[in-house]
């Protein structure tokens, strides 16, 4: 197999694009594809300051690398969830993010959940209402909350996450199985800041396969954490990813087609105007941020069940944004 551009031996063959490339051309192809998505979906412009949410995993570190190489001004945020799970998961991923940032002279801010709120995510999950919340659901809520708040308070134009095509297609399949209209209508490469208090959210890798981000990090020699979140085993997202991979095996490009056809159908009026339920948002009476929950937002309610601790100055739950319900993955 030869590189389509230069004829050298190919480092990767992408059946879904009928394209094989050598290392040098592949590591330029990914930024080109990302730039196209940024422009196509009007995510942000070069003059805007971005906040990239980095987990220490391959997708978000690859995204930060690509944005940096493309010349976008992007600072990073890492949220330390206090997960150990016998492998020092959070400590390891934090160190990888710090190492990535300092090697490139990039700004990274770390928000520690145990440091700011007094409890790690697994502890909060154990102590949450009837102890029935799974760590990943608490984690999602807390991460969205902190990311939104930091982005908005520090004047960033948009929050970029490393969600890739496999993530998006899996969430789409999951929500389509239950026809969760509210989630489906809000699943998009860009979520505009439709209300004060909501950050614009963008997913520049939404058309890039997970295999492609993995290959990019490898070829760019970016060190990332290989372990999945220890609590994610058996999650429905992983299940739907496996199903989609089986389809992709038989029909290369199936995943991309599924996602893009959905976006197109949405553009063509698949959903009635107002189907997003956004009009139902109100400001949380405790933290003042938009929420769809009746009364206080889910984030503020979460901490009510946790024994009180003195939060670090500036990051107490009382000022956090609500679970605006705007995220779908
Ligand atoms: P996940 O929900 O773990 O699939 O992650 C989706 C995206 O959320 C990642 O690509 C990151 O952009 C962001 N993210 C996940 N975990 C963290 C974290 N601990 N700190 C900052 N950003 C994160
Ligand atoms: Fe954070 Fe699982 S606990 S993703
Ligand atoms: Zn080449
Ligand atoms: Zn609140």
């Amino acid at each position: 197999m030869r590189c389509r551009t230069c004829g050298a031996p190919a480092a990767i063959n992408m059946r879904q694009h009928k394209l094989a490339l050598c290392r040098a051309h592949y590591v330029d192809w990914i930024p080109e594809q990302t730039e196209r998505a940024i422009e196509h979906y009007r995510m942000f412009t070069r003059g805007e300051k971005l906040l990239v949410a980095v987990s220490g995993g391959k997708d978000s570190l690859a995204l930060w690398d690509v944005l940096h190489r493309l010349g976008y001004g992007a600072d990073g945020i890492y949220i330390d969830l206090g997960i150990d799970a016998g492998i020092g998961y959070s400590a390891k991923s934090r160190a990888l993010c710090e190492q990535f940032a300092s090697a490139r002279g990039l700004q990274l801010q770390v928000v520690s959940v145990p440091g700011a709120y007094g409890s790690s995510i697994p502890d909060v999950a154990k102590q949450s209402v009837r102890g029935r919340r799974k760590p990943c659901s608490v984690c999602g809520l807390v991460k969205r909350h902190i990311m939104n708040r930091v982005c908005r308070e520090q004047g960033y134009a948009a929050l970029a996450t490393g969600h890739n095509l496999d993530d998006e297609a899996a969430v789409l399949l999951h929500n389509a199985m239950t026809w969760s209209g509210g989630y489906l209508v809000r699943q998009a490469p860009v979520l505009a800041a439709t209300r004060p208090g909501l950050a614009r959210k963008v997913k520049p890798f939404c058309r890039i396969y997970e295999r492609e981000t993995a290959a990019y990090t490898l070829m760019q020699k970016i060190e990332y954490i290989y372990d999945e979140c220890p609590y994610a085993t058996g999650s429905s997202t992983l299940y739907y990813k496996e199903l989609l991979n089986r389809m992709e095996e038989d029909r290369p490009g199936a995943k991309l087609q599924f996602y893009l056809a959905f976006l197109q159908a949405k553009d063509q009026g698949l959903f009635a105007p107002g189907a997003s339920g956004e009009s139902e948002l109100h400001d949380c009476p405790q933290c003042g941020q938009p929420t769809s929950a009746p009364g206080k937002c889910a984030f503020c309610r979460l901490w009510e069940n946790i024994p009180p601790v003195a939060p670090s100055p500036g990051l107490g739950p009382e000022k956090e944004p609500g679970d605006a319900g705007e995220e779908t993955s």
Side-chain angles (χ1 to χ4, degrees), residues 81 83 121 135-136 139 143 229 231-232:
L81 306 157
I83 299 175
I121 292 295
C136 295
C139 172
K143 281 191 297 201
C229 161
Y231 296 102

Side-chain angles (χ1 to χ4, degrees), residues 76-100:
I77 177 169
Y78 172 75
I79 300 169
D80 187 332
L81 306 157
I83 299 175
D84 183 73
I87 53 169
Y89 180 73
S90 290
K92 233 199 261 180
S93 39
R94 174 183 179 153
L96 288 164
C97 292
E98 286 172 342
Q99 180 186 308
F100 177 96

